[in-house]
Amino acid sequence: GRPGLRDRIDRRGVCNRRPDGRRIGHLFAAHTAITDTGNGMKLGSLRLNGKETVVARLDDTTGVALEVATMLELIGAGQRGLDAAASAIDRAVAGSLPTIELANADWLPPNPRATKVVGCALNNENVNTTAHRAVASPIFFMKARSAMTGHGKPIRIRARHGFTVPEPEPAVVLRDTIRDANEDTVLDHGFGYTVINDCTANGIKFGEDAVALNQEPSRIHEHQMAWRHRFADDNYVFVIFNARSKSADSFAPMGPWITTADEMPDPDQLRIRGYVDGVNYTDDSTSSYLFSVARVIAEASAWFTLEAGDCVATGTGGRGTDAFPGGPPSVDLRQYAVTDVEVSGLCRLSN
């Protein structure tokens, strides 16, 4: 494949390849708001002087504007667009293009024009240990485009949302339209990877959007009970709807960066960490997934046409920490001022 777009120089202007081609690793600060945790080319969207602007990252504090109107235009330009972005980075490093200070940037979602955000529920062995029946295939839900928000933006939790939890995870951004994709080759359709916090309001989910229907035995179908244990004289059919708990405005913060796919050799070995007010509540890995990233995307494409720029969130980190043994389900975002998500090799998202 094509060499990484940032292979020639790292964020300090130093060659980051050995003579034999192997990458020289670097250490990065762990708690900078937009800390880079890898060496890949990183692309984002922000509002600059009232205008949507696509930027490429130079280092933790600076970027360079690209000559495209939107991230979706850059994705659609394919290799030509990536080559132009690489050229802009080189010219900015050489001092022939102006740079942008990122400290107080007005961040947008990396691709504000995604037609949909597809999420994969319960895709983690650490949150399935007590399941009555093993999950047989990836389980999906949707988040609306209006749920997306950018790095540094507030998550707006209404009083009726109640107990609202963070769910830190990586997301794949598609580079072209796919339908019924092959699991063996589906990752070839990825433009890059970003970070998402799949906020979920369990308060309203179980308090207002869940219904238990006490049915007449003659009206119960086998599939309505197959997923759970049925007690004696138990004729309750449970239904839960996720729109208000998953897809409310600002419940899909993501970014700030998309890391290009050529810099992500194994998406099934990414460390996932989540924080509230600087305290770590989960430290997990995509290696804990029940279903691989490729399986998730391929399965999603069997049910939904995935279009260029769409995002597929592949599964939350679930393992707890000493501070939060219960992991993400034990964290009520209403009690904290700042929540962060960090995925190795990608970036750190703060809201």
Side-chain angles (χ1 to χ4, degrees), residues 269-320:
Q269 295 292 330
L270 302 178
R271 187 179 183 184
I272 304 171
R273 284 172 287 182
Y275 303 85
V276 282
D277 290 351
V279 180
N280 182 211
Y281 64 81
T282 187
D283 191 341
D284 206 344
S285 169
T286 55
S287 63
S288 297
Y289 282 175
L290 296 173
F291 306 104
S292 69
V293 171
R295 172 70 192 285
V296 169
I297 301 170
E299 181 74 15
S301 77
W303 303 96
F304 328 107
T305 297
L306 300 177
E307 301 177 60
D310 283 353
C311 299
V312 181
T314 53
T316 186
R319 184 183 292 116

Side-chain angles (χ1 to χ4, degrees), residues 248-278:
D249 289 354
S250 77
F251 270 35
M254 62 176 67
W257 301 112
I258 297 173
T259 299
T260 50
D262 61 342
E263 297 292 345
M264 193 54 56
D266 189 356
D268 295 311
Q269 295 292 330
L270 302 178
R271 187 179 183 184
I272 304 171
R273 284 172 287 182
Y275 303 85
V276 282
D277 290 351

Side-chain angles (χ1 to χ4, degrees), residues 10-33:
D10 72 2
R11 66 190 180 98
R12 301 170 300 175
V14 179
C15 176
N16 68 5
R17 288 282 181 178
R18 302 179 191 274
D20 61 4
R22 288 186 297 161
R23 187 184 301 282
I24 301 169
H26 297 295
L27 298 177
F28 298 91
H31 295 287
T32 303

Side-chain angles (χ1 to χ4, degrees), residues 36-227:
D36 176 25
T37 52
N39 293 307
M41 181 178 182
K42 299 184 187 298
L43 306 164
S45 298
L46 50 83
R47 187 174 289 106
L48 184 65
N49 299 323
K51 179 184 177 182
E52 182 177 339
T53 304
V54 181
V55 297
R57 178 191 176 279
L58 300 178
D59 56 35
D60 284 353
T61 61
T62 58
V64 59
L66 304 183
E67 294 181 355
V68 290
T70 67
M71 184 66 73
L72 193 58
E73 180 182 326
L74 177 61
I75 294 171
Q79 192 60 57
R80 175 176 53 82
L82 292 177
D83 288 344
S87 175
I89 291 172
D90 289 341
R91 286 182 288 155
V93 170
S96 60
L97 277 183
T99 60
I100 299 170
E101 293 297 321
L102 300 176
N104 298 306
D106 183 6
W107 289 99
L108 301 172
N111 176 30
R113 287 169 171 75
T115 69
K116 54 188 162 298
V117 178
V118 179
C120 186
L122 302 175
N123 187 26
N124 192 304
E125 62 185 18
N126 294 303
V127 296
N128 272 281
T129 55
T130 59
H132 170 64
R133 186 183 68 174
V135 177
S137 63
I139 300 171
F140 297 109
F141 59 89
M142 294 281 195
K143 285 180 179 276
R145 178 193 293 178
S146 56
M148 296 192 303
T149 193
H151 172 75
K153 299 297 176 63
I155 299 167
R156 298 187 295 276
I157 303 174
R158 293 175 177 268
R160 285 172 60 195
H161 275 132
F163 198 112
T164 299
V165 303
E167 295 187 27
E169 50 198 278
V172 179
V173 181
L174 276 296
R175 69 173 172 84
D176 48 26
T177 297
I178 58 174
R179 171 74 175 169
D180 290 319
N182 187 302
E183 183 178 338
D184 293 334
T185 58
V186 71
L187 294 182
D188 295 340
H189 298 280
F191 175 75
Y193 296 80
T194 191
V195 172
I196 185 171
N197 193 342
D198 168 26
C199 300
T200 305
N202 285 336
I204 199 169
K205 178 177 181 178
F206 295 105
E208 295 188 39
D209 291 344
V211 181
L213 304 173
N214 191 9
Q215 299 280 53
E216 291 293 329
S218 61
R219 298 181 60 188
I220 295 176
H221 299 278
E222 182 178 351
H223 66 266
Q224 293 174 315
M225 296 291 184
W227 61 278

